[in-house]
Amino acid sequence: MRVGVFICHCGSNIAGTVDVAKVAEEARKMPGVAYATAYMYTCSEPGQKEITDAIERDKLDRVVVAACSPRMHENTFRRTVMKAGLNRYFFEQANIREHVSWIGLDKELNTKKAIDEVRMAVEKVKRNKPLFSTSFKVNKRVLVLGGGVAGMQAAIDCADGGLEVIMVEKSPSIGGMMARLDKTFPTVDCSICILGPKMVDVAQHDLIKLHAYSEIAEIKGYVGNYQIKIRKKPTYVDWTKCTGCGLCMEKCPTKNAYDHFNFGAAPTRAINIPFPQAIPKKATIDPEFCRQFVKGKCGVCAKVCPTGAINYEMQEEIITEDVGAIITATGYGLMGIENFKEYGAGRYPDVITGIQYERFLNASGPTSGHIIRPSDHEEPKTIVFISCVGSRDKSLGVPYCSNFCCMYIAKQAILTKDHIPDSQSYVFYMDIRSPGKGYDEFTRRAQEEYGAKYIRGRVSRIYPKGKKMVVRGADTLLGTQVEIEADLVVLGNAVVSAEGAAQMAEKLHISYDTHGFYVESHPKLRPVETNTSGVYLAGACQGPKDIPASVGQGSAAAAKVLALFSKDMLESDPAIANVNINTCVGCLKCVKTCPFQAIVEDTLRNGKKVAKVIETVCAGCGVCTSTCPCGAIQLQHFTDNQLLAEVNAICQK
Amino acid sequence: MSEVASKELRIVGFLCNWCSYGGADTAGVGRFKQPTDLRIIRVPCSGRVDPMFVVRALITGADGVLVSGCHPRDCHYTDGNFYARRRLEMLKRLLPFLGIDGKRFHYTWVSASEGQRWQQVVTDFTKQVHTLGPMHQK
Amino acid sequence: MAEKEYAYFCGCSLEGTAKEYDESIRAVMKALGVGLVEPDDWSCCGSTPAHTVSHVLAAALAARNLSLVEKMNKDVLTTPCPSCLMAFKKAQHGMTGSEEFKVEVNELLDEPYNCGVESKSSLQIIYEDIGLDAIAAKVTHMMPDLKVAPYYGCILSRPPEIANFDDPENPVSMDNVLMAAGVEVADFAFKLECCGAAFGVPKREMVNQLSYKVLEMAVDAGANCIAVACPLCQQNLDLRQGQVNSTMGSRFNIPIIYFTQLMGLAFGMSPKELGMDKVFVSADKITRRITKAEYEKIKEEEAAAKKPQKAKKEAAAEETNN
């Protein structure tokens, strides 16, 4: 066996705190190593040529590169060794950057650790076996989760590229958060006017199949071959008959149902169509408030419906769709006002959230576009906006910036002046964050042209005084306390992950961070991929982001799916479990533990019962290998021998 | 310098490729300084960690073993980490019967985004192993 | 025999200006079956004057008392005074958080403190350990004229990581305790406002302004009494109420009563026993008491008078809907 070891300087990233020459020198002494060298940038073209040349010159049959994380460059180097005629699995990467040079300051200790890491990789690579991929067919349909602007963009782009798209939206209409907005920054474009055509595109595209008011019940399978179970929630209205005339909504006697679309800005009816441009424009009954469900009698909507669409007995329905890839665009949520005790925590009706205010501004909102105080329905004249409510506040578990509040508050201040010319807006801010194209100009306009008074400082308390709300805070630029008697207070409350985001991630087998936002494959270079191949991200499910960024990601995710589906066959990862039928005793413990039902019982010609791995289903976790009492089932590339060789390399040196 | 080096102990870490290995990468990218005693072995899933690996490491020369996987319910392979949790908890209770202090073995959950948590885990566990001292007299 | 027994640190204020707080707590605790034992030879808690000079010396003063509690084999110390409480909690927080600090403090003490005592305010003991049901069970009298603004002061619930009690920005413990005692409670927005604290001496004007705000808000909230849990708050709002009136041109005449005094009144104790005669603004007019039985009878009569009206209204509403 002839192993070649290549130590990367990575400029000064590694060489700065690791004596790379020493590591190479020590590597040369390791048994089986035929060649070892240190190179400035091993991943560069000449660096890779150094590897291929050495393979040829020194007749190397195994390669170890000690450099950055294999999560970064494993594929690069696997391709390199393949080019030189070796099996791609005859390569191991020792991580001496993220796990060594970047976390320790002591050069001597780092060098020692790097040598150990190289020794482990050498011992492992010596035991590597050649593995070969098999190819399998791809189901060229894509599932889009979420019908907000990011999901719609992804769906339209995929469908325009000729793919069949299944869109699942949990609420009764697509449109997401953007459909709730009155105007968009920094152009003050009418939000629904630019979103509406996209919604119609989704509804009318031949290749897009929409399941509204539906949720994901189960996801099975792997890239190229997913089986999705979709739970269609009962709407209690037969949507094939409903014409969206709205008569039921007009006549419904329950007038105090919570309006999910308007974020509770005003109550709605128990049967309702969320907004005039809704797609599909169909009615849904909210059984939490509907008298027929709560009291067991009413039936008004059934009586008035001209098409007889009401069905109080409707049950949920599970349907199955097969797809090859999934785009996750499940959006975000907003932190509840009850968290802000110092601002009244929802006890004062005239302290509302930004999205509620947006609905008041909107002509199709609960007040038909008139700004009112919820307490007495009077027009407010003094309006205070508070930014960073919950955001950048560790005590509420949200250390991050919510990204777009600065901008929408500036927009709302501008719109307020348009709606009520004799009004005065105040904005309490920590920093004005407006780094987008045309954004800073926009916040300046709010101040200079529309006279919004920006006060740099935090608000400590809001309390009622007669009909007014007193907002007390600090002006840190003047170094004084300020108290403003406001008619209405609007909180720019923090963006949080969508409700149920963690559970959704668990179904998708993708990672999420401590805040419930989904984790991309690489923060810079793979922003819409996840670590689960075949699952992509778009929009605010990955982190707070505004409309342009969400649309951009929607298109990016669609491009990734189109690229994936440009091949008819995909290559499988050959690092899967393999049964040695000579040592297998047929206890079938592995069959029970396999999370993917990838192992089945098989009978050999001599009648012996053994376990058998279904290659296309095995995902390569190795749970079976550590279950097997006789070591007969081995996860290839991570066999007991290979891992113990690494252990021995550390412990028995 | 060499005095410090001789004080370094041997700690073996088995890290899930999808979360903790990435978490250790994130810690590295963020330059979160850590003790240098740990040597990391990458596994596809914490469920791949055979308790025998841990015992073998401790018997043949390691002073401590750390296993880190994905947070429960957040497994790349649905429930590999649940198997890991059962096996490793059993192992932790078994170690004293082998004459090994249970504090020399630790299993935990660190996600790919939790670089800072990884730093904490490594620092705390290394400190714990150091208070126990070397397991094998040289 | 008391069912529960706590180490009790009354502190200097409760031996002097706030004697009625001490008296009422002892009376109420006794009624609730809770024993209070003072540590032998207790000394200054290390509050205001000490901690502005040196954190180590202040912590040492607090730790001295805490080590006395340890010697009594008690693991909980209760103190009615928020300043004492904060001194103890800060010492505990500092000493458990840093071994270095602990060593530094213990060097100053005859008997080292091993950090085995948790300090809790008397309000916390009453709210969490004794519980609202036990309080409600002891109520014999109602005060129908009384409407109270519960005023917590600044440091009972803050900073949250040290106080570790109730909601830091909207505490509700005193509200709930008083309601359990049958007292009507106003929705008071200034539960945590600054009363001016110890600036009464160096900056009287400022304290008057701050206290004025608290008093004004209580009156605006419809309260005719402010319930307090802090001797300093009580002093600023009660003793200085005349000063506030003369500087601010106001005419407040609102009694400032310890929440334990109100509990005692509800438990049927005599005003004298609770030190009601020691406050400056008399509460006699608003603390008219009737027995619980009488009160319930009145309520029943009121409800009976209202019932037919309500039934009629509901019937009418039903009709219009159909």
Side-chain angles (χ1 to χ4, degrees):
Chain A
M1 203 155 291
R2 298 178 62 81
V3 183
V5 179
F6 301 84
I7 319 289
C8 180
H9 290 238
C10 197
S12 64
N13 283 316
I14 292 170
T17 54
V18 171
D19 184 347
V20 283
K22 175 92 188 296
V23 178
E25 188 193 318
E26 287 295 318
R28 262 174 231 128
K29 297 179 198 157
M30 293 174 195
V33 174
Y35 177 74
T37 187
Y39 196 82
M40 195 61 175
Y41 288 108
T42 312
C43 63
S44 66
E45 216 168 284
Q48 294 187 50
K49 193 165 180 300
E50 170 85 22
I51 299 175
T52 48
D53 287 353
I55 292 173
E56 215 162 297
R57 187 181 61 233
D58 292 289
K59 306 275 172 291
L60 303 176
D61 53 8
R62 299 284 195 279
V63 170
V64 167
V65 172
C68 52
S69 172
R71 286 163 59 101
M72 190 79 206
H73 267 317
E74 192 172 49
N75 276 329
T76 314
F77 294 122
R78 277 182 174 172
R79 276 197 299 271
T80 310
V81 300
M82 256 170 88
K83 242 188 273 169
L86 298 184
N87 184 276
R88 54 202 301 249
Y89 287 88
F90 282 162
F91 163 76
E92 281 297 323
Q93 188 165 355
N95 184 345
I96 60 166
R97 193 178 75 173
E98 282 86 344
H99 292 188
V100 181
S101 72
W102 276 350
I103 57 165
L105 293 170
D106 188 316
K107 199 163 183 172
E108 195 178 329
L109 289 178
N110 283 351
T111 306
K112 194 170 152 237
K113 186 171 177 182
I115 294 166
D116 277 356
E117 299 281 349
V118 170
R119 183 182 297 111
M120 285 154 69
V122 167
E123 289 306 313
K124 166 127 196 266
V125 82
K126 286 198 288 192
R127 287 159 181 83
N128 282 8
K129 296 271 180 307
L131 300 175
F132 302 93
S133 303
T134 51
S135 41
F136 59 92
K137 239 177 119 50
V138 184
N139 181 346
K140 293 187 183 178
R141 300 171 93 217
V142 58
L143 172 74
V144 176
L145 292 176
V149 68
M152 289 197 296
Q153 185 66 40
I156 292 167
D157 286 355
C158 284
D160 284 349
L163 302 179
E164 246 186 90
V165 179
I166 316 295
M167 179 182 271
V168 175
E169 164 60 43
K170 72 172 173 187
S171 57
S173 168
I174 57 169
M177 283 292 189
M178 190 177 166
R180 292 161 161 111
L181 306 182
D182 182 42
K183 302 289 188 297
T184 57
F185 58 78
T187 49
V188 204
D189 246 340
C190 161
S191 183
I192 198 72
C193 309
I194 54 175
L195 186 72
K198 273 199 192 300
M199 291 168 66
V200 173
D201 278 357
V202 169
Q204 295 180 348
H205 207 297
D206 289 338
L207 290 173
I208 301 178
K209 190 159 140 198
L210 172 64
H211 297 290
Y213 210 53
S214 301
E215 282 172 354
I216 298 300
E218 193 186 86
I219 297 173
K220 267 191 171 172
Y222 48 92
V223 57
N225 290 287
Y226 285 106
Q227 295 90 45
I228 316 289
K229 280 195 177 147
I230 299 166
R231 183 188 298 116
K232 294 196 84 129
K233 297 182 279 186
T235 55
Y236 305 106
V237 177
D238 185 344
W239 279 7
T240 56
K241 291 182 188 163
C242 177
T243 60
C245 69
L247 196 59
C248 52
M249 192 173 170
E250 217 170 278
K251 299 289 183 197
C252 174
T254 307
K255 295 170 183 142
N256 62 345
Y258 182 82
D259 192 343
H260 293 277
F261 185 76
N262 286 327
F263 279 85
T268 184
R269 307 297 171 99
I271 183 165
N272 65 72
I273 299 167
F275 59 108
Q277 298 88 343
I279 284 181
K281 200 179 176 202
K282 308 282 180 191
T284 307
I285 290 177
D286 184 347
E288 207 182 310
F289 292 95
C290 173
R291 291 186 185 199
Q292 188 69 33
F293 289 90
V294 177
K295 291 186 174 168
K297 61 171 186 182
C298 178
V300 171
C301 49
K303 263 180 248 165
V304 300
C305 178
T307 59
I310 310 294
N311 172 12
Y312 298 118
E313 308 297 323
M314 192 183 271
Q315 298 293 319
E316 70 169 37
E317 193 191 335
I318 302 276
I319 55 168
T320 313
E321 296 278 7
D322 291 342
V323 298
I326 301 171
I327 294 175
T328 312
T330 45
Y332 66 97
L334 289 161
M335 186 181 269
I337 199 167
E338 68 279 356
N339 292 290
F340 315 122
K341 301 277 163 58
E342 61 277 31
Y343 300 156
R347 284 182 294 140
Y348 308 131
D350 294 335
V351 179
I352 62 172
T353 61
I355 191 78
Q356 288 175 330
Y357 191 67
E358 192 80 25
R359 294 308 297 155
F360 286 140
L361 290 168
N362 192 297
S364 68
T367 56
S368 310
H370 298 294
I371 305 175
I372 54 139
R373 289 158 51 98
S375 63
D376 55 10
H377 291 236
E378 275 177 26
E379 193 176 72
K381 297 291 179 200
T382 307
I383 295 143
V384 173
F385 296 90
I386 307 175
S387 62
C388 297
V389 176
S391 313
R392 304 172 71 191
D393 186 345
K394 275 190 202 164
S395 72
L396 286 169
V398 180
Y400 55 85
C401 164
S402 289
N403 186 304
F404 48 74
C405 322
C406 284
M407 292 308 297
Y408 84 65
I409 285 174
K411 174 195 75 185
Q412 290 183 342
I414 287 174
L415 294 176
T416 304
K417 197 76 179 171
D418 279 343
H419 278 65
I420 313 168
D422 60 337
S423 67
Q424 176 63 55
S425 294
Y426 294 88
V427 178
F428 281 93
Y429 69 98
M430 277 161 78
D431 299 290
I432 301 175
R433 299 197 162 170
S434 50
K437 190 174 172 184
Y439 285 13
D440 205 54
E441 297 91 312
F442 186 72
T443 57
R444 298 300 294 229
R445 254 180 91 198
Q447 297 171 61
E448 287 160 8
E449 210 174 300
Y450 289 86
K453 290 199 172 130
Y454 271 61
I455 302 166
R456 184 179 180 277
R458 302 293 296 152
V459 171
S460 66
R461 192 157 294 276
I462 298 173
Y463 59 89
K465 189 174 183 187
K467 285 173 73 177
K468 301 263 185 180
M469 298 305 303
V470 181
V471 180
R472 188 172 65 198
D475 185 330
T476 55
L477 295 180
L478 292 179
T480 60
Q481 274 200 7
V482 278
E483 281 192 0
I484 296 166
E485 290 192 4
D487 297 309
L488 186 66
V489 183
V490 180
L491 308 180
N493 51 335
V495 171
V496 294
S497 55
E499 202 187 328
Q503 288 84 335
M504 192 68 234
E506 284 152 19
K507 282 181 190 153
L508 289 161
H509 303 310
I510 58 174
S511 318
Y512 52 95
D513 63 21
T514 41
H515 310 294
F517 291 113
Y518 299 157
V519 178
E520 64 281 11
S521 196
H522 190 280
K524 304 270 174 229
L525 302 176
R526 290 163 66 85
V528 298
E529 291 98 322
T530 66
N531 280 333
T532 302
S533 65
V535 179
Y536 302 89
L537 304 175
C541 62
Q542 179 263 349
K545 53 180 64 66
D546 61 6
I547 296 167
S550 299
V551 172
Q553 281 204 333
S555 286
K560 291 286 166 188
V561 172
L562 285 162
L564 177 78
F565 287 177
S566 64
K567 298 181 205 108
D568 294 323
M569 305 289 274
L570 286 181
E571 300 237 305
S572 70
D573 183 350
I576 55 169
N578 186 19
V579 182
N580 179 346
I581 50 170
N582 295 321
T583 47
C584 176
V585 294
C587 70
L588 303 179
K589 272 190 174 169
C590 51
V591 174
K592 282 184 218 150
T593 50
C594 177
F596 301 93
Q597 291 87 45
I599 310 174
V600 290
E601 186 183 329
D602 193 28
T603 314
L604 299 179
R605 262 186 298 179
N606 61 8
K608 185 185 172 190
K609 284 199 190 326
V610 291
K612 187 180 140 191
V613 177
I614 311 169
E615 286 181 17
T616 49
V617 183
C618 176
C621 64
V623 169
C624 54
T625 309
S626 23
T627 306
C628 183
C630 40
I633 190 163
Q634 288 290 332
L635 173 64
Q636 295 174 82
H637 207 57
F638 292 98
T639 61
D640 287 346
N641 274 341
Q642 287 169 321
L643 293 176
L644 285 172
E646 288 193 75
V647 171
N648 291 345
I650 312 167
C651 296
Q652 298 179 345
K653 57 182 176 187
Chain B
M1 271 300 165
S2 59
E3 195 194 342
V4 184
S6 66
K7 275 187 190 161
E8 206 178 49
L9 295 176
R10 276 181 200 166
I11 302 175
V12 180
F14 293 93
L15 270 61
C16 163
N17 173 51
W18 303 103
C19 49
S20 300
Y21 196 90
D25 282 357
T26 308
V29 174
R31 312 298 199 273
F32 294 129
K33 297 288 172 274
Q34 297 153 38
T36 48
D37 310 47
L38 180 73
R39 305 285 182 268
I40 292 170
I41 297 175
R42 184 163 70 128
V43 290
C45 175
S46 52
R48 173 67 191 90
V49 179
D50 192 321
M52 282 307 294
F53 296 167
V54 179
V55 176
R56 169 84 84 99
L58 287 168
I59 288 176
T60 58
D63 301 300
V65 176
L66 175 67
V67 178
S68 185
C70 306
H71 287 277
R73 303 201 329 280
D74 188 18
C75 178
H76 187 76
Y77 302 107
T78 316
D79 44 25
N81 52 1
F82 286 130
Y83 287 106
R85 187 165 65 178
R86 280 197 163 203
R87 289 171 184 157
L88 299 174
E89 183 55 39
M90 285 294 291
L91 173 67
K92 198 168 178 64
R93 294 180 199 187
L94 179 75
L95 285 178
F97 293 95
L98 302 174
I100 298 169
D101 193 326
K103 290 200 200 87
R104 291 191 184 274
F105 167 61
H106 182 56
Y107 66 93
T108 187
W109 324 115
V110 175
S111 80
S113 60
E114 293 175 320
Q116 219 157 355
R117 183 172 143 71
W118 175 251
Q119 178 191 35
Q120 198 61 42
V121 164
V122 175
T123 310
D124 291 350
F125 184 64
T126 308
K127 212 168 152 189
Q128 184 170 314
V129 174
H130 273 268
T131 36
L132 296 169
M135 178 151 146
H136 306 269
Q137 298 304 326
K138 281 169 195 159
Chain C
M1 234 305 278
E3 287 167 33
K4 289 181 188 145
E5 201 179 72
Y6 293 96
Y8 174 71
F9 185 91
C10 73
C12 59
S13 296
L14 275 78
E15 295 239 301
T17 53
K19 194 129 187 73
E20 67 274 27
Y21 195 12
D22 183 50
E23 286 167 357
S24 58
I25 280 186
R26 286 178 190 273
V28 165
M29 290 292 203
K30 197 176 164 196
L32 290 165
V34 177
L36 300 175
V37 196
E38 281 190 71
D40 217 17
D41 190 34
W42 60 267
S43 54
C44 173
C45 66
S47 169
T48 318
H51 74 74
T52 48
V53 179
S54 155
H55 286 295
V56 179
L57 291 176
L61 281 166
R64 180 183 178 274
N65 291 302
L66 292 169
S67 80
L68 292 178
V69 177
E70 254 176 359
K71 257 205 275 179
M72 294 161 68
N73 284 324
K74 294 278 180 207
D75 50 11
V76 177
L77 169 69
T78 182
T79 175
C81 173
S83 300
C84 299
L85 180 76
M86 203 34 74
F88 293 141
K89 287 204 166 188
K90 267 201 241 164
Q92 182 81 3
H93 189 78
M95 290 174 78
T96 48
S98 152
E99 193 59 32
E100 231 168 273
F101 187 71
K102 186 177 169 181
V103 170
E104 208 178 340
V105 171
N106 272 337
E107 264 172 20
L108 298 169
L109 300 180
D110 294 337
E111 298 275 340
Y113 172 51
N114 302 312
C115 298
V117 176
E118 190 188 358
S119 304
K120 290 181 177 183
S121 67
S122 299
L123 175 61
Q124 188 175 2
I125 296 281
I126 291 171
Y127 183 54
E128 288 176 356
D129 293 11
I130 298 169
L132 301 179
D133 293 339
I135 297 167
K138 290 279 166 202
V139 174
T140 58
H141 285 71
M142 306 297 281
M143 291 169 276
D145 304 333
L146 187 66
K147 190 169 179 185
V148 171
Y151 179 56
Y152 295 74
C154 50
I155 51 174
L156 257 179
S157 59
R158 296 186 298 188
E161 60 275 18
I162 294 178
N164 202 11
F165 169 57
D166 211 340
D167 188 284
E169 292 298 337
N170 183 32
V172 291
S173 51
M174 202 201 296
D175 295 58
N176 288 335
V177 164
L178 290 172
M179 282 193 273
V183 175
E184 193 189 346
V185 173
D187 186 6
F188 184 45
F190 276 5
K191 286 173 177 181
L192 300 169
E193 288 301 303
C194 179
C195 67
F199 281 98
V201 181
K203 288 208 168 178
R204 210 187 74 191
E205 301 271 298
M206 188 180 82
V207 172
N208 287 343
Q209 275 177 29
L210 290 167
S211 295
Y212 170 82
K213 282 187 175 177
V214 175
L215 294 165
E216 189 198 26
M217 181 54 81
V219 172
D220 280 356
N224 55 15
C225 174
I226 297 177
V228 290
C230 170
L232 198 51
C233 297
Q234 204 276 344
Q235 184 177 314
N236 279 339
L237 297 179
D238 182 41
L239 175 68
R240 295 182 187 277
Q241 204 171 108
Q243 272 180 15
V244 171
N245 283 339
S246 59
T247 0
M248 306 300 292
S250 53
R251 301 181 66 178
F252 293 119
N253 186 32
I254 181 166
I256 315 298
I257 308 296
Y258 291 105
F259 75 102
T260 43
Q261 290 178 296
L262 293 172
M263 286 173 75
L265 290 173
F267 292 176
M269 296 167 184
S270 76
K272 176 91 188 148
E273 191 184 352
L274 299 164
M276 290 299 288
D277 54 338
K278 291 196 175 67
V279 296
F280 282 81
V281 181
S282 165
D284 293 350
K285 274 190 195 152
I286 52 164
T287 51
R288 176 176 70 91
R289 291 190 286 180
I290 54 176
T291 65
K292 216 176 164 185
E294 281 171 335
Y295 179 80
E296 270 158 19
K297 205 172 146 199
I298 294 168
K299 280 282 151 194
E300 258 171 44
E301 279 164 12
E302 275 176 12
K306 264 186 194 163
K307 218 175 187 180
Q309 285 175 2
K310 204 183 166 195
K312 233 188 233 169
K313 239 187 192 171
E314 268 177 10
E318 196 77 357
E319 228 160 72
T320 50
N321 282 336
N322 297 333

